[in-house]
Amino acid sequence: MACLGEEVTSEETGEESNSMNLMEFSDEILLHILRYTPVSDLVLNVQRVCRKLSVLSLDKSLTHTVILHKNYQVDKDKVKQLMREIGKEIHELDMTGCYWLPGTTIDQVIRCKNLVKLNLSGCHLTSLRLSKMLSTLQYLRSLAIDVNPGFDASHLSSECKATLSRVLELKQTLYTPSYGVVPCCTSLEKLLLYFEILDRSREGLIISGQLMVGESNVPHYQNLRVFYARLAPGPVNQEVVRLYLAVLSDRTPEKLHAFLISAPGGFAQSCAVKNLLDSMARNVTLDALQLPRSWMNGSSLLQLLKVSNPVYFSFNRCSLSGGQLVQRVLNGGKDLRSLVSLNLSGCVHCLSPDSLLRKAEDDIDSGIVETLVASCCNLRHLNLSAAHHHSSEGLGKHLCQLLARLKCLLSLALPVCAIANISLTTADKPSVQPVANVASQGFGKKVRIGVQTCSRNCLEQGNFKPPSSVFWSLLESLPFLERLELIGSSFSSAMPRNEPAIRNSLPPCSRAQHVGDAEVAAIGQLAFLQSLTLAQLPSVLTGFGLISIGAQCQRLRTLSLANIGLMGKVMYMSALMDMLKHCKCLRDLRLEQPYFSANAQFFQALSHCSSLQRLCIISRSGTLQSDAVMSFMATCLEVIMCHMFTGESLTVCKNLQQSLIRSFQADRPALNVVVFPLLHEDLTEVIRDVPMMHLDEITLFKSRVAEEPPNLWW
């Protein structure tokens, strides 16, 4: 026995001698490994491990860029310590959405005297605080800030204005009618404007969009290359953006190559806007274009504007016909391999031949799709949602078969009805047992009438492929797809922006009835999938396809499910709970489903999502179990956002919200909790207090594929 023991000891010693200590790696390898660690962890934790890591953690290649965006565990004390230790080494600082940090903590940015890029969108910032900060940042060239009520440009010091005069890139989110710091930025090359101004103040007063004349003048924009404006709903936002555009109308910058305005609803042109567009048609050549639909519809703009080597086009909700798409956008089918991102969301006729008698549900012209695919062979982002793109019969002419040629696609948005097989023969249809056959099965296993009978194991393992499924074939051809959206053509969220909740929804397209569990299971092929949206899929019965996604899409970080299956009852709950047990990397979950029961079983399954950070549940007539919510929050320590809008009473909602804040706010500085009745008249007032980052990214539903040009901001 002693000899045996000696042998074991000898073998263990040999194994230890063959193993390599992490500290034996070269500095180059260790630096590469450390790049995947947040700088805050490097400075506050890793550097204290040993002398070697202490030196490497402060290497300039690691401290050059600091990203605190979505680093929810960073509190005010950690930020202060971080700035004290490496403030002078930081050249790029991203604090986007750090709404939980007080203004005194934001003041610590003053220590980063070598900053070149600074993003403070979503941070607490006053004009006086901004003035003091920017007065010391003489190397600053890129800046992102919010302009809140009370902002006064007269508080900006001469040193601050000198810094702003050297800024080349400005991103400004406006919550009040103002020019912000734009008048001081005389060297601007890129201007991004986000208009989030409400029509009424908290006191109910109507807000005017009038600005003081003389705050801005034409020479400030002579070097402008990129102009981008995104408007939230409301007339005040339109009124203010017109004033910004009026400045551009007198003298259009000759170097302008990207002009993008995203505006919901109707947005009438003013005389100044018409002059600007006429001037652009004469003087500039664009590579990125987006205009409000009211400016595009019925106009000859597409014929007049000059485009060269386009990178991004968005015609969201425009009445663009197939002929216009081919002749004016695709330039008659010429080479557009430079085009990376194309947004045709809501363009109901863009894939159809020109016809005055055409209906939105009529079949598309496969020739137009073929021209699109051939011309834009390098497309990475394509949005065809919010339309009925019905394919006609014909070998190889289905939309999915044609899109399969776009091998570079990374994100894709399609209407649910567009992926349905056209001619489902008896052999091709999912196996459905008619009433007459049920009785003949004797004492065998019962089969529910109308339910697909493909085995659950097949769907879980992702190896069930319906014969001739064009959607399965499409996804097989796009193995590197990272974002997928399947949205019903008539879907509308129950929670729109700045309006009461929608009580009724439009019925789904009839062709969407042919899209069910098997098609959902097909998504499990996408090993690199990071974001998935499924909305208004009425024929998903048991939801077994979700299990395939959870088991195989191990990189999935964002999941949004809305109106899946029957509206009166949540039939897929069991499959959803099985799916969630596999989603170890899931960070954001949005569920919008009438009559959804957020009970103990659901939250117990959700507790397996150990990386979950944000949860949003929207359910008309839905219920929640308060003690289950509390238990879930105690288990999932990473969750910092919990939004639940259900059919529960105001008293139940308030009590749960207060309990969550009281129990978890101290340990989670970024915690944001909103629990409120979905159909309550004060919902819009509650929504306005939600941090914009959460509201825009998860709480409000929208299609996000090709929403903005790639790399619009660093």
Side-chain angles (χ1 to χ4, degrees):
M1 293 295 293
C3 293
L4 182 61
E6 289 174 4
E7 284 183 18
V8 171
T9 304
S10 176
E11 289 179 4
E12 290 178 350
T13 304
E15 290 178 0
E16 291 176 2
S17 63
N18 291 330
S19 64
M20 178 174 283
N21 190 312
L22 183 65
M23 293 300 101
E24 295 177 4
F25 289 151
S26 67
D27 289 356
E28 290 76 12
I29 294 177
L30 287 174
L31 283 173
H32 183 76
I33 295 173
L34 293 175
R35 285 193 186 98
Y36 294 92
T37 305
V39 177
S40 56
D41 286 337
L42 291 177
V43 175
L44 303 179
N45 299 312
V46 177
Q47 74 153 328
R48 290 169 171 75
V49 173
C50 66
R51 185 175 300 175
K52 185 171 185 176
L53 288 180
S54 177
V55 175
L56 292 178
S57 295
L58 300 180
D59 188 87
K60 290 184 178 181
S61 66
L62 300 178
T63 59
H64 177 276
T65 301
V66 174
I67 300 176
L68 300 182
H69 175 51
K70 293 188 177 179
N71 192 342
Y72 301 117
Q73 304 306 318
V74 173
D75 58 22
K76 59 182 181 180
D77 295 328
K78 291 180 180 178
V79 173
K80 290 179 181 178
Q81 185 178 350
L82 186 68
M83 298 303 176
R84 279 199 304 268
E85 296 203 25
I86 63 167
K88 294 181 180 180
E89 307 298 329
I90 302 174
H91 287 71
E92 299 181 10
L93 177 60
D94 186 359
M95 299 182 68
T96 309
C98 291
Y99 55 86
W100 63 92
L101 296 177
T104 52
T105 304
I106 306 300
D107 289 341
Q108 297 298 313
V109 174
I110 201 171
R111 296 176 179 271
C112 309
K113 299 186 183 299
N114 293 313
L115 273 180
V116 177
K117 295 184 177 182
L118 175 62
N119 194 333
L120 295 176
S121 295
C123 296
H124 297 289
L125 199 63
T126 64
S127 47
L128 287 173
R129 180 164 280 127
L130 179 67
S131 178
K132 182 180 178 182
M133 182 189 304
L134 296 188
S135 296
T136 64
L137 304 180
Q138 57 179 326
Y139 302 110
L140 194 67
R141 296 296 179 269
S142 180
L143 175 66
I145 60 169
D146 292 350
V147 177
N148 292 295
F151 184 90
D152 189 348
S154 65
H155 292 161
L156 304 179
S157 66
S158 57
E159 293 83 3
C160 171
K161 292 179 179 179
T163 296
L164 289 170
S165 69
R166 295 185 290 268
V167 168
L168 304 178
E169 301 176 348
L170 176 65
K171 178 182 177 183
Q172 191 170 257
T173 303
L174 295 155
Y175 295 94
T176 187
S178 172
Y179 282 123
V181 299
V182 171
C184 304
C185 301
T186 56
S187 303
L188 276 183
E189 294 182 1
K190 178 185 289 188
L191 177 59
L192 277 57
L193 300 167
Y194 293 77
F195 295 87
E196 298 288 346
I197 310 167
L198 297 175
D199 295 335
R200 291 181 179 272
S201 66
R202 293 183 182 278
E203 295 76 23
L205 301 176
I206 297 176
I207 296 177
S208 170
Q210 294 297 318
L211 300 179
M212 292 179 60
V213 178
E215 283 192 66
S216 184
N217 49 61
V218 177
H220 293 178
Y221 306 97
Q222 59 189 2
N223 297 318
L224 203 63
R225 295 174 177 269
V226 177
F227 180 88
Y228 175 87
R230 193 188 77 177
L231 285 67
V236 177
N237 291 309
Q238 297 183 9
E239 190 176 355
V240 176
V241 78
R242 284 194 184 97
L243 297 175
Y244 278 85
L245 294 173
V247 177
L248 289 172
S249 63
D250 291 339
R251 186 189 304 170
T252 306
E254 296 179 358
K255 298 179 181 179
L256 189 70
H257 65 81
F259 187 75
L260 308 122
I261 298 180
S262 173
F267 183 16
Q269 287 189 39
S270 63
C271 292
V273 168
K274 292 180 180 179
N275 293 336
L276 170 61
L277 296 175
D278 290 341
S279 177
M280 286 173 54
R282 293 191 305 269
N283 302 316
V284 302
T285 301
L286 301 173
D287 61 23
L289 175 66
Q290 179 178 7
L291 295 175
R293 64 182 181 185
S294 55
W295 299 9
M296 299 287 294
N297 295 348
S299 73
S300 57
L301 269 176
L302 286 178
Q303 285 180 310
L304 299 175
L305 293 174
K306 294 190 286 287
V307 176
S308 177
N309 297 320
V311 176
Y312 175 80
F313 280 142
S314 177
F315 301 103
N316 189 10
R317 304 285 176 179
C318 293
S319 58
L320 187 71
S321 69
Q324 290 174 319
L325 176 65
V326 171
Q327 297 301 324
R328 300 179 186 178
V329 179
L330 303 179
N331 199 16
K334 294 182 180 178
D335 185 2
L336 282 181
R337 65 181 61 193
S338 61
L339 193 64
V340 174
S341 185
L342 178 61
N343 190 340
L344 296 173
S345 176
C347 299
V348 296
H349 302 300
C350 68
L351 300 182
S352 306
D354 297 354
S355 173
L356 296 176
L357 302 178
R358 172 171 155 57
K359 298 179 181 179
E361 297 82 4
D362 290 345
D363 291 344
I364 62 174
D365 184 343
S366 60
I368 294 174
V369 183
E370 287 182 298
T371 302
L372 169 64
V373 169
S375 300
C376 310
C377 57
N378 291 327
L379 266 182
R380 295 188 178 185
H381 315 282
L382 177 61
N383 194 329
L384 295 173
S385 64
H388 297 272
H389 293 315
H390 296 171
S391 299
S392 58
E393 294 186 30
L395 187 62
K397 301 297 185 181
H398 194 284
L399 177 63
C400 289
Q401 293 172 317
L402 297 173
L403 293 181
R405 302 176 189 174
L406 295 173
K407 302 299 183 182
C408 297
L409 277 182
L410 296 178
S411 63
L412 177 63
L414 292 173
V416 175
C417 54
I419 70 170
N421 278 3
I422 313 154
S423 54
L424 287 174
T425 64
T426 305
D428 289 336
K429 288 182 181 180
S431 175
V432 177
Q433 299 290 338
V435 177
N437 289 344
V438 175
S440 66
Q441 293 189 7
F443 297 101
K445 181 179 179 181
K446 293 183 179 180
V447 180
R448 289 182 56 201
I449 299 173
V451 178
Q452 300 173 19
T453 60
C454 51
S455 76
R456 174 174 176 144
N457 288 336
C458 287
L459 285 171
E460 288 183 20
Q461 297 167 10
N463 55 14
F464 171 80
K465 179 180 177 180
S468 306
S469 172
V470 290
F471 184 58
W472 277 75
S473 299
L474 170 63
L475 299 189
E476 282 180 339
S477 302
L478 305 174
F480 300 109
L481 205 64
E482 296 176 355
R483 179 187 290 271
L484 177 64
E485 296 178 352
L486 293 179
I487 304 174
S489 51
S490 57
F491 174 76
S492 58
S493 174
M495 182 178 284
R497 184 72 183 274
N498 301 339
E499 301 171 18
I502 296 176
R503 297 171 184 267
N504 299 311
S505 57
L506 296 174
C509 173
S510 59
R511 286 209 188 186
Q513 304 290 345
H514 296 289
V515 179
D517 291 306
E519 283 73 24
V520 174
I523 301 171
Q525 302 173 82
L526 302 175
F528 294 92
L529 190 67
Q530 297 181 24
S531 176
L532 175 63
T533 297
L534 300 175
Q536 200 179 41
L537 279 76
S539 290
V540 171
L541 300 174
T542 56
F544 286 154
L546 295 173
I547 306 174
S548 171
I549 297 172
Q552 298 182 106
C553 302
Q554 287 297 301
R555 302 190 182 195
L556 190 65
R557 293 189 172 194
T558 301
L559 177 63
S560 176
L561 302 177
N563 291 9
I564 304 297
L566 303 175
M567 290 295 95
K569 186 177 181 181
V570 185
M571 303 293 293
Y572 65 97
M573 178 64 92
S574 176
L576 175 62
M577 291 190 293
D578 285 345
M579 175 197 190
L580 293 175
K581 295 174 183 178
H582 299 287
C583 297
K584 303 302 181 183
C585 293
L586 191 67
R587 294 187 179 182
D588 296 337
L589 175 62
R590 185 187 192 276
L591 294 173
E592 180 172 343
Q593 187 80 31
Y595 302 99
F596 189 87
S597 176
N599 55 26
Q601 290 80 11
F602 166 73
F603 280 109
Q604 185 176 4
L606 189 58
S607 297
H608 288 85
C609 303
S610 54
S611 299
L612 193 69
Q613 295 178 334
R614 299 190 290 188
L615 171 65
C616 180
I617 297 176
I618 299 169
S619 180
R620 187 181 69 248
S621 303
T623 60
L624 56 84
Q625 198 169 326
S626 297
D627 56 345
V629 179
M630 295 294 294
S631 177
F632 159 74
M633 289 292 288
T635 302
C636 292
L637 304 180
E638 300 294 320
V639 177
I640 55 86
M641 191 205 91
C642 182
H643 291 178
M644 291 185 286
F645 305 94
T646 65
E648 295 287 1
S649 68
L650 182 61
T651 300
V652 170
C653 292
K654 281 189 173 182
N655 290 339
L656 177 56
Q657 178 173 317
Q658 291 172 358
S659 297
L660 289 170
I661 294 174
R662 185 169 54 249
S663 300
F664 304 108
Q665 184 78 71
D667 296 326
R668 307 180 199 185
L671 184 66
N672 181 253
V673 177
V674 181
V675 186
F676 204 75
L678 178 62
L679 300 182
H680 197 281
E681 59 184 3
D682 293 332
L683 177 64
T684 54
E685 293 300 313
V686 172
I687 287 295
R688 69 187 297 167
D689 291 327
V690 174
M692 181 54 60
M693 180 177 68
H694 300 323
L695 190 65
D696 187 58
E697 292 180 1
I698 182 169
T699 305
L700 297 179
F701 183 94
K702 62 179 176 178
S703 177
R704 303 175 195 280
V705 172
E707 181 185 14
E708 293 181 344
N711 305 316
L712 182 63
W713 193 250
W714 52 278

